[in-house]
């Protein structure tokens, strides 16, 4: 690659970088306090439906090997 | 002062502007906000099933949307599809190239995809009379590190060529190419609403993309090494990343920054894989040191560990119904815990 082509590639890359940074700089941001509170609220609302958090009764556990019943 | 210098100055100025804007909303920490929340219970999950069948390192696993079947990929050159309730293998699909790095299953359960050092993504119809290759997606210039189906007609891939791509499975052609990373793309995750996806790369950044227009909307920095694993929080408003720098981070999309970090001075193994419980409260992270640590996502405390593998935990997944977690390892076994 000639050095002229290389430097125009570098410029093209630099222009794309600046364009991308302009997009990212322009977004709206909410406060971390609000973001954290919303995430906590989501967790709280969904916790009772989370089987790994609440535990799974043996009768409803599809992965638990069923022990054979012995009739005494 | 040439154009390059002007552009560099403008780029530096914009980076400083972004940093200042992030600082301006950084009014507290998640740890402080979560201090009033009850601690997650000490999580003691038992190994309920060990799926044996692969003959070499397992590199990927993905649960079916039916919460029962699962596909796994190994460098023994096979994709195996399991019925996890019985532990039986339902299909075995031989791969043209054994250097597989990832696999995925379509939400319909009809298709599976895999790829790796062959730079291709091969899509197989497993519901045909016998499993039949539907497409060989061949345009990436680097290895295929990850893939996820949006439907039976659209697939997202991440590649070592630093790009991600949306493929039309009806034509086998690229629909959208996502270019912005400057390092190998290692992982991707689709948002719950399927409008965006997030990618993690060896440039230590995670990027949020608009699926339809290909634009990069946000870039998340902070990691100091390759990001190997990424997952959306179930709310769709945050993402969790796992890195070779031995930490995980939570980035909030609306605050546009890191809001929590998960690390332990004693831990000096890279994170290979990450998955979340259905409420998002628990993070399951696989590490190079053969373990999987369980983190409380809000309080950033370790609340459990899954040990039992004899080699690196390379992949992890929780099914949509949240009823268990599966770990896949270089020891060739898959283990299901709950």
């Amino acid at each position: 690659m000639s050095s002229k082509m290389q430097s125009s590639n570098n410029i093209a890359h630099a222009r794309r970088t600046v364009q991308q940074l302009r997009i990212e700089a322009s977004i709206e941001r909410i406060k971390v306090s609000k973001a954290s509170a919303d995430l906590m609220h989501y967790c709280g609302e969904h916790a009772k439906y989370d089987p790994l958090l609440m535990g799974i009764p043996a009768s409803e556990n599809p992965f638990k090997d069923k022990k054979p019943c012995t009739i005494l | 002062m040439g154009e390059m210098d002007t552009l560099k100055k403008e780029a530096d100025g914009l980076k400083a502007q972004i940093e200042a804007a992030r600082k301006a909303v950084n009014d507290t920490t998640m740890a402080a906000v979560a201090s009033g929340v009850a601690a997650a219970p000490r999580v003691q999950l038992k190994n309920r099933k060990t799926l044996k069948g692969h003959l070499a390192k397992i590199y990927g696993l993905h649960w079916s949307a039916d919460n029962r079947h699962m596909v796994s990929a190994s460098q023994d050159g096979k994709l195996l599809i399991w019925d996890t309730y019985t532990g039986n293998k339902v299909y075995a699909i031989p791969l043209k190239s054994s250097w597989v790095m990832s696999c995925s299953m379509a939400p319909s359960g009809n298709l599976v995809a895999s790829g790796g050092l062959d730079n291709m993504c091969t899509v197989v119809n497993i519901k045909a009379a016998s499993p039949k290759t539907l497409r060989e997606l061949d345009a990436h210039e680097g290895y295929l590190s990850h893939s996820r189906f949006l439907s039976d007609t659209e697939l997202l891939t991440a590649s070592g060529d630093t790009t991600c791509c949306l493929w039309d499975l009806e034509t086998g052609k690229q629909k959208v190419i996502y270019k912005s990373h400057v390092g190998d793309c290692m992982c991707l995750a689709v948002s719950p609403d399927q409008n965006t996806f997030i990618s993690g790369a060896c440039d230590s950044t995670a990027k949020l993309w608009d699926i339809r227009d290909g634009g990069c909307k946000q870039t998340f920095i902070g990691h100091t090494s390759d990001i190997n694993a990424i997952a959306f929080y179930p709310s769709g408003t945050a993402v969790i990343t796992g890195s070779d720098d031995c930490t995980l981070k939570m980035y909030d999309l609306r605050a546009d920054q890191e809001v929590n970090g998960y690390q332990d001075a004693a831990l000096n193994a890279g994170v290979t894989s990450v998955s979340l419980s259905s409420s998002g409260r628990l993070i399951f992270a696989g590490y190079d040191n053969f373990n999987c640590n369980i983190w409380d996502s809000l309080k950033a405390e370790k609340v459990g560990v899954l040990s039992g593998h004899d080699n690196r935990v390379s992949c992890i997944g929780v099914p949509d119904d949240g009823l268990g977690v599966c770990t896949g390892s270089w020891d060739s076994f898959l283990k299901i815990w709950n």
Side-chain angles (χ1 to χ4, degrees):
Chain A
M1 197 188 285
S2 73
S3 75
K4 235 193 185 144
M5 230 191 116
Q6 188 148 52
S7 73
S8 74
N9 275 351
N10 288 344
I11 290 195
H13 178 80
R15 280 193 198 132
R16 281 195 300 270
T17 303
V18 165
Q19 207 166 340
Q20 178 60 37
L21 286 168
R22 281 191 195 138
I23 293 172
E24 292 179 17
S26 67
I27 67 166
E28 301 266 310
R29 294 170 181 82
I30 67 167
K31 290 204 193 298
V32 171
S33 54
K34 165 120 177 72
S36 304
D38 287 352
L39 286 168
M40 273 177 44
H41 181 77
Y42 183 93
C43 266
E45 287 291 296
H46 290 83
K48 49 187 171 289
Y49 307 114
D50 185 338
L52 292 171
L53 209 50
M54 300 277 93
I56 303 167
S59 55
E60 290 165 32
N61 189 343
F63 302 113
K64 191 168 159 59
D65 280 327
K66 308 272 177 280
K67 290 201 172 57
C69 288
T70 330
I71 300 178
L72 298 166
Chain B
M1 169 114 128
E3 191 182 351
M4 269 307 278
D5 291 323
T6 321
L7 287 168
K8 182 154 189 337
K9 240 184 126 185
E10 191 178 351
D12 289 343
L14 287 163
K15 283 182 191 166
Q17 196 183 314
I18 292 172
E19 207 193 308
R22 284 173 173 160
K23 266 211 172 82
V25 296
N26 194 344
D27 57 343
T28 185
T29 63
M30 164 87 89
V33 173
S35 59
V37 168
R42 181 82 201 161
V43 180
Q44 271 167 337
L45 303 182
K46 295 204 172 80
N47 175 200
R48 301 292 177 188
K49 283 226 157 39
T50 296
L51 305 177
K52 302 180 188 190
H54 279 300
L55 304 171
K57 295 176 175 173
I58 290 174
Y59 274 80
L61 72 86
H62 190 214
W63 283 93
S64 167
D66 72 7
N67 304 309
R68 175 169 182 156
H69 293 88
M70 181 167 64
V71 61
S72 61
S74 161
Q75 293 202 348
D76 63 6
K78 289 225 168 37
L79 289 184
L80 290 178
I81 294 160
W82 306 84
D83 174 346
T84 61
Y85 290 0
T86 60
N88 293 336
K89 301 175 237 334
V90 183
Y91 302 103
I93 296 161
L95 299 171
K96 259 193 196 165
S97 162
S98 62
W99 301 114
V100 66
M101 293 175 68
S102 89
C103 62
S104 56
M105 191 180 296
S108 64
N110 295 330
L111 306 176
V112 294
S114 66
L117 295 181
D118 58 353
N119 296 4
M120 280 196 327
C121 186
T122 302
V123 179
V124 174
N125 179 347
I126 57 173
K127 295 291 170 70
S130 68
K132 185 171 127 59
T133 298
L134 180 74
R135 287 274 166 240
E136 285 177 337
L137 306 172
D138 189 0
H140 276 302
E141 292 170 352
Y143 58 83
L144 196 92
S145 54
H146 211 82
S147 67
R148 279 296 178 259
F149 285 89
L150 296 179
S151 66
D152 279 4
T153 55
E154 287 185 314
L155 176 76
L156 280 166
T157 56
S159 171
D161 68 9
T162 77
T163 71
C164 296
C165 179
L166 177 69
W167 301 82
D168 179 336
L169 296 179
E170 289 174 323
T171 60
K173 300 265 181 285
Q174 294 174 299
K175 248 184 177 170
V176 184
I177 302 176
Y178 307 91
K179 279 191 202 191
S180 182
H181 278 298
V182 295
D184 303 11
C185 291
M186 298 304 295
C187 50
L188 70 88
V190 183
S191 65
D193 68 12
Q194 304 227 319
N195 290 329
T196 60
F197 78 94
I198 191 108
S199 60
C202 292
D203 60 12
S204 316
T205 71
K207 285 178 181 283
L208 181 73
W209 305 87
D210 182 310
I211 289 184
R212 298 298 149 196
D213 73 25
C216 170
K217 295 160 63 123
Q218 287 170 258
T219 299
F220 300 98
I221 59 175
H223 277 298
T224 54
S225 187
D226 305 355
I227 294 177
N228 297 316
I230 201 159
F232 261 96
Y233 212 72
S235 62
T237 57
V239 299
I240 308 284
T241 52
S243 166
D244 272 350
D245 67 11
C246 311
T247 75
L248 298 123
K249 290 180 189 294
M250 179 193 284
Y251 294 98
D252 186 281
L253 302 182
R254 297 175 307 154
D256 186 44
Q257 59 191 281
E258 179 182 341
V259 295
N260 225 346
Y262 311 89
Q263 62 236 9
D264 189 325
L267 268 174
N268 65 348
V271 178
T272 61
S273 46
V274 75
S275 197
L276 294 156
S277 72
S278 61
S279 67
R281 186 68 192 263
L282 301 176
I283 300 173
F284 298 95
Y287 290 75
D288 286 345
N289 68 1
F290 311 179
N291 280 338
C292 170
N293 285 321
I294 309 175
W295 295 89
D296 177 334
S297 66
L298 300 180
K299 287 174 160 311
E301 293 163 354
K302 234 176 73 164
V303 294
V305 78
L306 300 175
S307 38
H309 282 294
D310 295 324
N311 206 325
R312 177 185 291 198
V313 174
S314 56
C315 45
I316 291 196
V318 172
D320 290 342
D321 65 4
L323 273 175
V325 53
C326 185
T327 51
S329 167
W330 280 9
D331 69 8
S332 82
F333 301 121
L334 297 144
K335 286 180 183 285
I336 299 184
W337 316 74
N338 68 12

